[in-house]
Amino acid sequence: MKDLNTILTSVNETMESIELTKIGATHTRTEQLEKLALCFHWLTEHRDKAHKDWMSFYFGSKGSSSAAKEREADMRCPELYTLRHLMTSVKLVIDSLRTSISANKNG
């Protein structure tokens, strides 16, 4: 599994590159899309591991209610929340890149 800090650095660099790229630069946008898609895959691996850890904390909790168990698991595995929201953001950018590439290709 690729290091999470390496993935986050790659995502940030690609986002900055997207911000500076003209909308008509289809080849560059395709390369950016490919980089983000790979990052999304690696983030998925980290999210899956974090989810397994969260479930382990949840079912190993001494909490007396489901809410108490969830709070404990959330506190012991905060990266799950972060990864889920980061992945939603990356997915929106991937969708945006696909749309702009398609529009440039057809226009």
Side-chain angles (χ1 to χ4, degrees):
M1 184 175 344
K2 195 165 189 172
D3 178 58
L4 186 56
N5 288 328
T6 304
I7 298 166
L8 296 177
T9 299
S10 182
V11 167
N12 286 332
E13 289 171 353
T14 305
M15 295 289 190
E16 289 173 8
S17 172
I18 290 168
E19 193 173 37
L20 300 173
T21 304
K22 292 185 180 185
I23 225 162
T26 305
H27 180 72
T28 304
R29 288 190 169 270
T30 302
E31 290 174 348
Q32 293 163 338
L33 174 62
E34 184 177 301
K35 286 180 187 177
L36 282 182
L38 286 171
C39 289
F40 192 84
H41 166 74
W42 294 322
L43 288 170
T44 301
E45 290 179 352
H46 282 277
R47 185 204 55 207
D48 290 347
K49 182 188 176 313
H51 180 71
K52 288 176 186 172
D53 292 346
W54 188 93
M55 294 296 283
S56 176
F57 294 137
Y58 178 87
F59 288 110
S61 173
K62 303 282 187 215
S64 58
S65 69
S66 180
K69 290 180 179 197
E70 283 182 23
R71 279 192 305 274
E72 182 180 339
D74 288 344
M75 286 175 35
R76 293 182 71 186
C77 190
E79 62 271 15
L80 181 59
Y81 176 85
T82 303
L83 284 167
R84 284 179 174 163
H85 288 280
L86 175 63
M87 290 179 71
T88 299
S89 175
V90 170
K91 180 72 169 123
L92 289 171
V93 175
I94 286 172
D95 290 343
S96 174
L97 283 171
R98 283 186 184 142
T99 301
S100 69
I101 291 167
S102 181
N104 287 334
K105 192 170 58 172
N106 294 328

